[in-house]
Each structure stands twice: as structure tokens, then as C-alpha cells.
Amino acid sequence: MDAGDLPEDDLVEPTVDVNGAATTLDKRVTSLDDAIQAMAETRDFGKHTKLRRVLEALRRVLLQPGGAAAVQARAQAIEEAGLFLETDWASPEILIPALVGPSLHSGDADTVVMEATSELRMLAVARGDYAHPTLPAEDAHQFLSQVLATNLELLFTPPGEAERTRQGRTAQLVRDLFHHLADEIGYDSVLDNLVDEIWRILRQRPIQVEAVQSLITRIAGYREDPDVDLGTTSGQGMDRLITSLFGTTEACREDPGIDVFRSRLEAMDNGGLQYEATGFARAMHDTGLVSPYHAELLRFLLRESDYLVGEALGLSDTGRNCLMRYSPLVHRLIEVAVHPQTAQCIYGLALLLDRGILYEPPIVPALWRQLALALSPVARERLTTVFGDVPGPEARLVAGVLSMLGQPLGVGQGDNPTCQSARALSMWSYNDPDYLLQMVVWAARDDEIIMHFEGQPISSKESGSGVATTLPMDLDPVSLIAVPHLDRIYAEMGRRCATRPGDPHRWVNPEFHGWWSARGFHINVDVATGNLLDLDEFLRQFHASYHPSFNGDQPLIHPQPAGVAVTDSAARYVGWHAITILRVAPDPQDVMRVYFYNPNNDSGQDWGDGVVVSTAGNGERFGEASLPFDQFASRLYIFHADPLEHGEPERVPAEDVARIVGYVERSWGGDRLPAGTLQALGGPPTLEA
């Protein structure tokens, strides 16, 4: 009988057997070796019959002191025996550090054991004990450093009650694993990687920064805990992040609490207040993070002077002019929305003013309307459920409005299949902010949005289900209220196109997003077969519509919806995804790039075959992602363009098209290329085509 067939009670053994000859670990390691050998001697088609025995043997070893080291020593034998064959862990070179934590927190013990064994395989490679054929040691070391950095609670905190209930003894197995990894890798590199990861995320300026704030808060706590050893040099570079939240200026250097901080402000003269104001503003614009103390300062300065309010917001000349011109509105926005719990919206307010959108005639009255808005019971309940009742839901929603108007490219879809709705909110904030404010009113006050599709009204209340099967909760306040309505309307528009030939986005995108979405529609996938269609013409038309060298050097005027085929780091097709093309321009190295908005919460992704999406360092503005033009074109499958602006598709060099087709063929289009497609790429299309 396999070990996996034994009841749990039979798996518990004394630390030393009756003869004192072998410890429990020795006996369990012997059983593991036998299980590995049995799997190794089994042909590939039958290895699944040995899987239960190997997994149970691994679990029993990992539960013992020293078990992680024992599994690490057998990592090569385990992989060569076929444990990871045909699983998500089969190719370690494309594994993603961010997915390790969810696997280790799984309630399924087999998933935890597989993930733990994979980490120990990485460690064996990183330490040079296993010369892996596809994974360099330095890559394995980097991977583990990122895993440890993003799961610090597994290093420094014991399992909670809920975790123990869900995982049982496996919860401690995971802690022991992480201690072993950290001892082998070292804590210094862990924190260095954590700092790099936090800055990488912050450079994208997301609206939602709770996860980053949580990481910084935990690190700050660990650094003060004498029982936690973060290494001798670790923590360098963290000071800037920690002080952005907890010790930004002299008056809050030791994190004294809001009440003490306010008493210090009351004792200051104008010079001291200006010093505090500029310190907070500098930290905010440097990091994209806002301290709760900043909120208290800003509320205090309302009774002092608008000059100091402008200093605390770090405004440009445009922003300062907006503040002076619309001072009563800005004061009221601060009074209602800015609290220590909603401090992050200060950054949105500053950027809103700097954008100068208050000079657009509808915006000021629309914001006054927002301040007086009576929320529906549904909206109040949703906001209170997700964000709590301090401050109230009205304040939370106004704060969310400020963030979205100031950071249109910081909107994220959360862990939800609602990229179309997130893209629409971002596009409206970026391009038509008064329309966004109208949408918020309809959703929050009326619990209903009515949009029109080809002249016919569509009500979010009367529409069927949306793309999301559950109610999205991990969103910013505006998205939390609006996305469920928009998602249902978007899905209903798609249903109304179900009987039409071709892709429904041809009709849905302009009706859903706005009049500026061009009516010319190009797609390179045949909807009926999934095969690539007219790829040569598609790529030439994309150049003629967007590339300055082939469109008469015409910059993009309005952001345009587009669809990409997302691939993983091995260039394998993952799925279709909605993005927004923002602009096309040469980067500082004079490489022509497409700058775009990705509603996915982290735009910095590796799409394989050397196609790595950049978010900083290549001319990106905050919130933009970018790729070289040909690499972007290789993942594009839908774009819109003005049908009356033809450009010069015939001038696009055949070698440029062929290079892009090479990217397509090596990735998502490899099995979609119809026979003979490549032979048609020898020259430009004729006028008839």
C-alpha cells in the first residue's frame, strides 16, 4: 500500500525508532528515495500512477526539521524522475514569482507541496548544486529573492488562525521552507529586490497603492523588531519609502501620531509650515505615495493661505492658477475628501489641478454636483463594505473621483476580467472627464447607467450578466461603483452583435468608448477559424495609420482602443486583452515606440521572444507602457483608424513586415498561419487589395 493510502494517524512516527538506529527524517527520506526511483523507472504515460506516492513522501519529509535541505539535495533527481512533467511547474525558466504566494497559501496540500518542491529546485540551481539545462543559476537566485521579498509575512510572522484552519500543519511547512530559503539566499538580496519591485510598481503611478503601503509598513515594523534579522546591509534604499509614509518631515519624523502632529503644526509660524508643506509635496511627487500626516497638514492649511495649500500640493504654474481661480471648490473638495484614511487622493487632486481641466466649462459645476450627491443605498453599502465607514461613503467616492481625474492612466481592473470597463473609465478621465463625472453620478445616485447602441438605449439594470461572474471588489471607489454597470452594458452590446459576421468590437468599441474611437476597423484574425487573416495588409495599414514615417507625420489626436494577443514569457498565447494606444514617438535612443495604457494592474510584463513591456526608462510618462513599434505590432490583433486617412501602406518595407511576422510566427500566431501566408509577404499590396 502507498503512503498516500495510509490514514493520517499512521503517518505520525516517533522521533527515534525503537532501535534508536534512524531518525524520523532518515526513514522518511528513504521512503522518498524509493518513491522517486519508482517514478523514474516508469514510462511517461504511466508516471501519474506514481504521483500520489511521491507527493505524500515529499510532504512527510518537508514536515520534518531538515526536510527542506533533504528535498533540495534531491531536486535534480525529483525533476528528472518526472514530478513536474505536464504541470504548470514543468518549465522553471518561465515561472512567475508573483504566483508563488497564492500557491503556497492554497488549501490543497498537493499544490503547496508541488510549489515548495519547485522552490527547492530553484534553490539547488541557484546554489550551483544542479546545473539546469534551461535555467541559469543567477536567474534562479533572482527568482527566489523576488519570491521572498513579496511574501515577507511567511518569513517573519507565524500562521494566523484562519491559515491554520485552512492548511493545518502545512502552514508551518511553508514557514520552515521560507526560513530555509532565506538562510541560503541571504536577507540582504531579499530586501534589495523588494525595494526594486516597489519602485518598479510606483513608477507606474497606480491609483491603488494599498499593497505597496502594506509592504512598506511591514518592513518598517520588522526593522524595529529586535527579533527580526534583516541582514547587515539590507534595508538600504527603504528609508526613502518608509519616510514617505511615516516620517516625511521634521514634525512627524518619529511617527508621533496625528494628534501630536497637529499640535506641532499649531505651534509653527509660516516659515515652519512652508517647510512642512514643501517636504510633503516633494516626497509625494517623488514616490507617488502620500502620508496620512500630509492629509492633516492640508486640512490645517485651509485656514492659513492658498499659497501654502499650493506648496503642500506641489503645484505647477497651471495648477496654482487653477487653485487661485477656483479656491472655494478646491477648499470644499479638501474638506470633504481629504482625511488621513484617504490621503492618497491628495496626489490625484494635485495632478487634477496641474492638468488644468477645471478650465473646461462642465468640470467645475460637475464637481460641485459630486460634492452634493446623494448616494443610492446600493452604492453606500458597496463603498462601506470595501472601505469601511470612516470616512463615510460620500467622502470615499469624492476621493476616488479626485484620484481618477488626476491619474487617468492609474486605473486598474483588479483581479477581474473587466479590462474593457477599466479602459473606458481611463479613457473618459483622460479624454472626456465631464463624461466620466456624469457616469459616476448615474451609477452612484441612480444605481443605473443608460448608454445607447446604434440609437437604442441599453440599461445596466435591464441587461443580463456581464463578463465578470462575481461582483468586483478589489477596485478603487469609482470603479467599484461604475464597473458592474459598465460590464453589463458592454456584454449586452456584444450580445446584440452576436448574429453579425466578424468581430463584435467593430461596432461595440465606438459605441461604448466614445465618438473619438475611429470607425475604421482592422483585425488580423478570422473569427470563424481563429486563423490569421491578411496579415501583410493588416501590418501595412497599422504602419500607415500610426507610424509617423508612413502617416504623414500625424500625431495621434485621441486615444484609440486596441486589442492585443497577450503571451507569456515563453511567447505562448494566453488570451486577448484590451488596451489603449496613446501615442507613437521616438524614445530617447531614437527607437520608434508605441506608448499605451494597459488596464492590467502591472504593465511591466515579459511577453516572450524578447518582447518585454517597458514602463520606465524609454520615454514613458507615468502610467504608460511601451514597446518598439515592430514588437507592439507583433502582438496586435485589433486596431481602429480613420477610414478617410489612408497614409502610405505601399511604402512600408517588406523586410519590416517580414520581421514582425517572424515575431508573430514564433509566438501566438505560430499555429494560426494558413498555408502559404509567408509567400505573400514579398511586396506591398496592390491598390485593389
Side-chain angles (χ1 to χ4, degrees):
M1 184 170 63
D2 285 351
D5 299 324
L6 294 173
E8 182 68 26
D9 290 347
D10 293 337
L11 298 179
V12 179
E13 303 176 25
T15 303
V16 181
D17 70 6
V18 292
N19 299 316
T23 66
T24 300
L25 179 60
D26 292 334
K27 293 172 64 178
R28 294 188 176 186
V29 165
T30 300
S31 296
L32 174 61
D33 289 338
D34 292 342
I36 295 170
Q37 184 66 27
M39 177 176 276
E41 293 173 352
T42 303
R43 292 182 180 272
D44 287 355
F45 65 83
K47 288 188 186 295
H48 68 278
T49 63
K50 306 299 180 182
L51 182 61
R52 169 52 48 207
R53 181 181 175 189
V54 174
L55 286 174
E56 189 57 38
L58 282 166
R59 188 184 72 85
R60 287 157 57 87
V61 169
L62 289 169
L63 284 169
Q64 293 297 308
V71 173
Q72 176 190 342
R74 291 159 176 77
Q76 183 170 353
I78 291 170
E79 178 162 32
E80 291 175 349
L83 175 66
F84 302 114
L85 196 66
E86 297 182 355
T87 73
D88 292 340
W89 295 272
S91 302
E93 69 276 10
I94 65 169
L95 294 179
I96 300 173
L99 299 182
V100 172
S103 294
L104 292 176
H105 283 99
S106 171
D108 179 57
D110 288 348
T111 299
V112 176
V113 169
M114 286 287 283
E115 189 63 67
T117 305
S118 178
E119 303 320 301
L120 291 167
R121 170 184 57 178
M122 287 281 189
L123 182 58
V125 174
R127 300 286 292 171
D129 303 328
Y130 176 12
H132 199 279
T134 63
L135 182 68
E138 57 270 24
D139 289 356
H141 191 284
Q142 174 75 5
F143 180 92
L144 290 174
S145 294
Q146 292 183 30
V147 168
L148 290 167
T150 53
N151 294 276
L152 289 176
E153 73 281 357
L154 296 177
L155 267 178
F156 299 130
T157 60
E161 185 61 35
E163 194 175 356
R164 287 194 299 270
T165 301
R166 185 177 67 254
Q167 290 192 305
R169 295 174 64 198
T170 305
Q172 190 56 49
L173 177 158
V174 174
R175 261 65 178 185
D176 294 341
L177 165 72
F178 264 62
H179 289 145
H180 178 71
L181 294 176
D183 289 342
E184 294 288 313
I185 292 294
Y187 288 86
D188 294 352
S189 65
V190 172
L191 280 200
D192 289 343
N193 273 277
L194 179 59
V195 171
D196 291 343
E197 179 68 9
I198 289 174
W199 279 110
R200 190 184 68 81
I201 295 295
L202 289 178
R203 277 193 292 268
Q204 299 176 53
R205 291 300 194 264
I207 289 175
Q208 294 175 275
V209 293
E210 291 83 0
V212 169
Q213 290 172 332
S214 176
L215 274 175
I216 296 172
T217 301
R218 277 155 43 202
I219 286 291
Y222 296 146
R223 291 178 71 181
E224 298 299 320
D225 189 341
D227 296 328
V228 174
D229 179 13
L230 294 179
T232 55
T233 62
S234 64
Q236 293 179 359
M238 280 301 300
D239 286 344
R240 197 160 143 219
L241 293 169
I242 292 173
T243 56
S244 71
L245 292 178
F246 303 113
T248 315
T249 62
E250 194 61 40
C252 63
R253 184 70 62 202
E254 77 281 21
D255 191 18
I258 295 295
D259 292 340
V260 172
F261 176 69
R262 186 172 184 87
S263 68
R264 292 176 179 174
L265 294 180
E266 291 171 345
M268 287 184 185
D269 58 17
N270 271 0
L273 290 173
Q274 180 166 354
Y275 181 81
E276 291 291 307
T278 55
F280 278 112
R282 186 167 50 248
M284 176 178 72
H285 287 284
D286 181 34
T287 64
L289 296 173
V290 187
S291 168
Y293 293 110
H294 197 163
E296 189 63 27
L297 171 71
L298 196 56
R299 294 180 66 87
F300 180 84
L301 293 179
L302 289 179
R303 70 186 193 190
E304 297 295 324
S305 73
D306 279 350
Y307 172 77
L308 288 176
V309 170
E311 290 290 289
L313 292 172
L315 298 178
S316 66
D317 288 344
T318 299
R320 194 173 290 277
N321 288 337
C322 279
L323 169 62
M324 298 303 177
R325 174 66 179 82
Y326 300 105
S327 178
L329 173 62
V330 176
H331 277 238
R332 187 60 184 151
L333 288 169
I334 294 171
E335 290 168 357
V336 171
V338 174
H339 304 273
Q341 299 88 344
T342 58
Q344 193 60 35
C345 77
I346 297 173
Y347 186 54
L349 174 61
L351 297 183
L352 180 163
L353 293 170
D354 277 351
R355 289 182 69 192
I357 61 174
L358 294 188
Y359 288 118
E360 297 182 21
I363 300 299
V364 169
L367 286 172
W368 279 116
R369 176 183 58 182
Q370 185 67 49
L371 287 165
L373 193 67
L375 304 187
S376 71
V378 172
R380 293 181 62 86
E381 181 182 2
R382 292 209 74 201
L383 288 165
T384 302
T385 299
V386 173
F387 298 106
D389 54 7
V390 179
E394 293 84 0
R396 285 283 182 185
L397 185 56
V398 175
V401 166
L402 296 180
S403 291
M404 190 167 287
L405 288 177
Q407 300 171 261
L409 303 184
V411 181
Q413 70 187 78
D415 188 17
N416 311 288
T418 52
C419 53
Q420 293 275 356
S421 299
R423 176 174 70 179
L425 290 171
S426 169
M427 193 179 292
W428 297 332
S429 174
Y430 185 92
N431 191 59
D432 200 359
D434 60 304
Y435 186 65
L436 171 70
L437 290 170
Q438 182 63 62
M439 285 289 180
V440 173
V441 168
W442 284 333
R445 182 192 64 195
D446 308 330
D447 193 30
E448 179 183 30
I449 290 177
I450 297 177
M451 299 178 73
H452 288 75
F453 182 73
E454 298 177 345
Q456 299 300 312
I458 296 179
S459 165
S460 61
K461 274 189 174 180
E462 298 172 3
S463 299
S465 61
V467 179
T469 56
T470 58
L471 208 56
M473 302 296 280
D474 54 339
L475 301 173
D476 65 86
V478 171
S479 299
L480 186 72
I481 299 303
V483 163
H485 297 279
L486 297 174
D487 185 41
R488 291 193 291 270
I489 290 173
Y490 165 73
E492 180 60 29
M493 288 184 178
R495 285 189 284 267
R496 295 193 182 188
C497 298
T499 59
R500 302 180 185 184
D503 192 287
H505 295 99
R506 175 189 301 272
W507 304 279
V508 172
N509 280 344
E511 297 284 341
F512 187 68
H513 291 96
W515 67 265
W516 54 83
S517 297
R519 294 284 170 168
F521 181 81
H522 301 267
I523 183 169
N524 62 14
V525 175
D526 179 64
V527 174
T529 65
N531 287 335
L532 285 167
L533 182 69
D534 297 329
L535 188 55
D536 179 274
E537 180 183 359
F538 176 88
L539 294 173
R540 290 180 179 278
Q541 289 296 334
F542 181 61
H543 280 75
S545 300
Y546 286 89
H547 197 296
S549 298
F550 307 103
N551 74 352
D553 204 23
Q554 172 61 56
L556 186 61
I557 298 172
H558 297 106
Q560 291 296 317
V564 293
V566 175
T567 52
D568 64 16
S569 57
R572 299 175 302 191
Y573 171 74
V574 173
W576 312 118
H577 187 54
I579 56 108
T580 305
I581 300 176
L582 299 170
R583 58 191 180 96
V584 177
D587 68 12
Q589 289 74 44
D590 211 30
V591 174
M592 192 63 67
R593 300 181 79 89
V594 178
Y595 296 89
F596 60 98
Y597 160 75
N598 186 345
N600 203 329
N601 306 287
D602 179 5
S603 299
Q605 299 163 352
D606 184 347
W607 288 348
D609 193 29
V611 180
V612 180
V613 181
S614 170
T615 57
N618 288 294
E620 296 88 357
R621 299 163 186 165
F622 288 141
E624 290 182 333
S626 81
L627 281 170
F629 193 93
D630 56 348
Q631 292 187 357
F632 179 85
S634 76
R635 296 303 191 268
L636 186 70
Y637 86 101
I638 279 176
F639 71 90
H640 290 259
D642 189 331
L644 301 179
E645 296 178 357
H646 304 292
E648 300 176 292
E650 70 281 357
R651 288 188 53 244
V652 181
E655 56 268 27
D656 288 3
V657 175
R659 184 173 60 254
I660 298 171
V661 171
Y663 278 113
V664 175
E665 190 177 29
R666 293 190 298 271
S667 59
W668 67 281
D671 57 355
R672 299 173 185 266
L673 287 166
T677 295
L678 295 180
Q679 298 174 8
L681 299 178
T686 63
L687 291 176
E688 290 78 18

